[in-house]
Amino acid sequence: MLAAGDSPVHKLHPSAKLVVTIAYIIITVSFSKYQLNGLLMMIIYPAFLFSSSGVTVGTCFRKLRFILPLVLAVGLFNPLFDRAAMIKIGNITVSGGTISMVTLMLKGVFCLAASFLLMATTSIDNLCAALRQFHLPPMMVSLLLLTYRYIGVMTEELSVMTDAYSLRAPGQKGIKFNAWGSFLGQLILRTMDRADELYNSMQLRGFSGSFTYADCKRFDRRDALWIVLWILLFLICRFLDIPGILGSLLLGGFS
Amino acid sequence: MIRFENVTAFYENDKPVLNGVSFTEEKGETIGLIGANGAGKTTLMRTLLGLLPHEGLITVDDIPVSEKTLPEIRRKLGFVLQNSDNQMFMPTVYEDMIFGPLNYGLDREEVDARVDDVLTQLNLTELKHCYNHKLSGGEKRMAAIATILVMKPEIILMDEPTSALDPKNRRLVINTINEMPETKLISSHDLDMIWDTCDRVILLNRGTIVADGSAKDILQNKELLEDNRMELPLRFSNP
């Protein structure tokens, strides 16, 4: 349970982390497809969170291993369609397609890492409490929370069924194709039954459609500062060509 | 007080699973519901909780169980499910315990005080902030009981409270049940536990009440138990 950590990032108000993550994703996505320079600066946010939250980069990439290939596949064909030369590094000419491919991949990886870091440093209940503070409809927030819980129930049942299958199919790798239909059907029926039981249990304890969330800590000056500073930094990265300025400074462009 | 008067209950589009069930449970009484698999023990509890449609009259403290009165009825009843995994759905024991009381509008300070009281009463203080999925079977069962006790129900329903527990945890649950002053309705196949905890026993078979009497009369009646696909409790069956 990464969200149960005790780092300064974990202690921030969930609303502050949510706002900054949303702002980060919007600003990251808004970079144009050839703006690789500026986009690279956006690594600051995930890098800072990794170093200060105790969540390791390895954990992040291990947890995201099934989604990352899909994200990396985005823009894979750009170099084939956009062959116009864009920059030259020594004797190597880099096409616009290659730059746009890398930009798209980085956007995906950065956004995924930021979302992962939000989830890894904030419990789902606190996150939902924050969403309610932003006046999102209770039904929508409850749906999000219940979906999250349902995934847990489903994976638990899946693990029990997979174990039962493999114990009666020694030496067999995975589940045979012709058993997929009944396996999936059983899985859905079992998870529906369990979800039904859980729902009954909730109803019997007074649940009437919206969760009463545990109290979040108070939103204080530190949380406000977190939001302001990060958004300011994102905007600077977005609208100023920091690598260009740094390059000019280093090469004496201002002299 | 619980009253069943000629109650018939159904699962959707199915034949009745409870047939003309009538009994009364007085305040403070502990009744053991026994019977073979499919006899209707759990169904009877689910009907009382309004989870199944029924015909006939069910009342809790003279309030008839109906769609309209369910919130009031459920506030009086606490149900400990057979499978604790289905009961504990929040990440930690503490969060699970505050779920019910907060839903009933209690303020946070009172809820926290109740949580501490119940955890002390059940000797579970060290589990307060533990993650539910990391608890052992026995700890989970005790925590599930704690989530119900913290709501201060007037009547406690327990479905197979000692199933899948080792002897030590089973004894712990039995002692806990005996220390609870509330009215209790306990369904189980564990007849020795029923003997240890209940004053009165109701024997069900195929959805009807076959016998209703003192634990002493029913649990020592070999013929009656065997006619209804059951056996004497172990303590009476040993030569």
Side-chain angles (χ1 to χ4, degrees), chain A residues 46-63:
Chain A
F48 178 82
L49 287 198
F50 278 124
S51 64
S52 55
S53 68
V55 178
T56 62
V57 181
T59 312
C60 172
F61 284 99
R62 206 168 42 249
K63 297 255 182 194

Side-chain angles (χ1 to χ4, degrees), chain A:
Chain A
M1 296 293 279
L2 295 167
D6 197 31
S7 74
V9 182
H10 284 85
K11 285 178 187 161
L12 285 165
H13 195 279
S15 304
K17 287 184 268 184
L18 184 64
V19 169
V20 172
T21 308
I22 292 171
Y24 178 80
I25 291 172
I26 291 172
I27 294 173
T28 303
V29 170
S30 76
F31 277 90
S32 81
K33 59 182 180 178
Y34 299 128
Q35 230 179 329
L36 185 56
N37 266 1
L39 183 64
L40 281 171
M41 290 302 295
M42 295 300 280
I43 202 169
I44 287 179
Y45 180 64
F48 178 82
L49 287 198
F50 278 124
S51 64
S52 55
S53 68
V55 178
T56 62
V57 181
T59 312
C60 172
F61 284 99
R62 206 168 42 249
K63 297 255 182 194
L64 298 177
R65 65 187 180 277
F66 296 115
I67 312 171
L68 273 174
L70 297 175
V71 172
L72 294 175
V74 176
L76 210 58
F77 296 107
N78 285 17
L80 300 177
F81 297 117
D82 181 1
R83 296 179 183 196
M86 194 112 204
I87 50 170
K88 231 176 164 188
I89 306 168
N91 289 331
I92 303 164
T93 309
V94 182
S95 70
T98 308
I99 291 181
S100 66
M101 177 188 74
V102 176
T103 308
L104 276 174
M105 285 175 172
L106 280 180
K107 279 183 186 180
V109 173
F110 286 175
C111 291
L112 266 181
S115 311
F116 170 79
L117 282 162
L118 173 69
M119 293 299 292
T121 55
T122 320
S123 74
I124 185 76
D125 295 87
N126 282 336
L127 210 54
C128 287
L131 290 172
R132 282 294 298 127
Q133 281 175 352
F134 291 132
H135 298 286
L136 244 77
M139 181 63 85
M140 202 187 257
V141 180
S142 295
L143 261 177
L144 173 75
L145 189 57
L146 291 174
T147 309
Y148 183 83
R149 295 266 156 79
Y150 188 74
I151 293 169
V153 171
M154 204 159 183
T155 45
E156 234 174 72
E157 289 297 327
L158 180 68
S159 145
V160 170
M161 285 179 69
T162 316
D163 286 349
Y165 182 95
S166 56
L167 286 171
R168 284 186 289 156
Q172 191 178 306
K173 233 183 173 185
I175 294 156
K176 265 193 178 168
F177 185 67
N178 59 7
W180 280 20
S182 55
F183 195 88
L184 274 178
Q186 280 299 315
L187 176 67
I188 289 167
L189 288 174
R190 286 168 66 124
T191 47
M192 275 169 66
D193 273 353
R194 270 206 67 192
D196 212 32
E197 275 290 287
L198 282 168
Y199 182 62
N200 283 341
S201 167
M202 288 161 70
Q203 273 189 312
L204 295 175
R205 285 198 269 159
F207 179 71
S208 55
S210 61
F211 281 89
T212 312
Y213 299 97
D215 291 340
C216 287
K217 67 175 268 296
R218 274 173 65 94
F219 188 93
D220 56 28
R221 222 181 290 172
R222 206 175 50 144
D223 302 308
L225 203 65
W226 175 266
I227 295 179
V228 173
L229 287 181
W230 276 115
I231 293 183
L232 201 66
L233 192 63
F234 298 157
L235 290 173
I236 289 172
C237 293
R238 175 68 182 86
F239 294 109
L240 293 180
D241 180 15
I242 309 254
I245 295 170
L246 286 176
S248 304
L249 278 173
L250 284 173
L251 297 171
F254 285 121
S255 59

Side-chain angles (χ1 to χ4, degrees), chain B:
Chain B
M1 185 180 83
I2 299 170
R3 192 153 58 105
F4 272 62
E5 253 184 52
N6 201 22
V7 173
T8 303
F10 315 82
Y11 284 102
E12 281 168 38
N13 304 324
D14 224 336
K15 57 181 183 182
V17 273
L18 281 187
N19 250 322
V21 169
S22 302
F23 72 92
T24 303
E25 179 171 17
E26 298 296 337
K27 196 174 176 188
E29 215 178 355
T30 302
I31 294 184
L33 280 177
I34 61 168
N37 289 334
K41 305 183 293 293
T42 305
T43 305
L44 189 147
M45 289 186 168
R46 295 176 79 88
T47 312
L48 173 60
L49 291 158
L51 294 172
L52 282 179
H54 69 274
E55 283 171 8
L57 180 71
I58 306 175
T59 62
V60 176
D61 288 343
D62 295 325
I63 305 163
V65 175
S66 69
E67 196 71 38
K68 220 174 165 184
T69 58
L70 273 186
E72 201 180 346
I73 296 280
R74 286 176 177 170
R75 201 166 180 163
K76 289 174 177 289
L77 304 171
F79 184 38
V80 181
L81 274 77
Q82 180 174 358
N83 184 351
S84 308
D85 282 326
N86 291 345
Q87 179 144 357
M88 315 278 287
F89 46 81
M90 299 296 273
T92 65
V93 173
Y94 170 71
E95 284 166 290
D96 228 307
M97 286 182 77
I98 63 171
F99 179 83
L102 287 183
N103 277 329
Y104 286 126
L106 269 76
D107 70 65
R108 195 53 184 265
E109 274 179 26
E110 191 186 342
V111 174
D112 281 340
R114 277 193 190 190
V115 167
D116 290 337
D117 282 351
V118 171
L119 289 175
T120 312
Q121 181 193 338
L122 301 181
N123 267 328
L124 298 176
T125 38
E126 75 280 9
L127 295 186
K128 185 173 176 180
H129 295 292
C130 285
Y131 285 102
N132 287 333
H133 69 275
K134 290 195 171 167
L135 301 179
S136 70
E139 288 172 335
K140 221 178 260 182
R141 189 64 54 89
M142 291 302 290
I145 293 173
T147 64
I148 297 305
L149 287 184
V150 78
M151 296 199 301
K152 293 201 173 166
E154 290 165 35
I155 300 161
I156 296 177
L157 314 178
M158 297 177 130
D159 193 5
E160 298 284 1
T162 53
S163 66
L165 291 184
D166 62 44
K168 200 177 168 197
N169 281 315
R170 178 180 167 277
R171 184 52 55 193
L172 185 65
V173 170
I174 290 172
N175 292 341
T176 306
I177 293 172
N178 283 331
E179 280 163 18
M180 296 192 298
E182 294 86 356
T183 308
K184 286 163 289 212
L185 188 60
I186 303 168
S187 135
S188 184
H189 289 126
D190 180 352
L191 300 189
D192 285 279
M193 181 273 289
I194 294 286
W195 175 269
D196 283 339
T197 55
C198 302
D199 330 308
R200 188 175 143 201
V201 169
I202 292 177
L203 172 60
L204 287 163
N205 192 0
R206 295 179 206 279
T208 53
I209 294 182
V210 180
D212 179 353
S214 72
K216 196 177 160 193
D217 289 341
I218 293 179
L219 296 179
Q220 293 188 40
N221 188 337
K222 188 174 182 218
E223 202 178 329
L224 174 70
L225 292 172
E226 285 182 354
D227 283 350
N228 291 284
R229 294 185 290 154
M230 308 209 63
E231 285 179 344
L232 281 173
L234 280 174
R235 68 183 70 197
F236 302 127
S237 60
N238 289 336

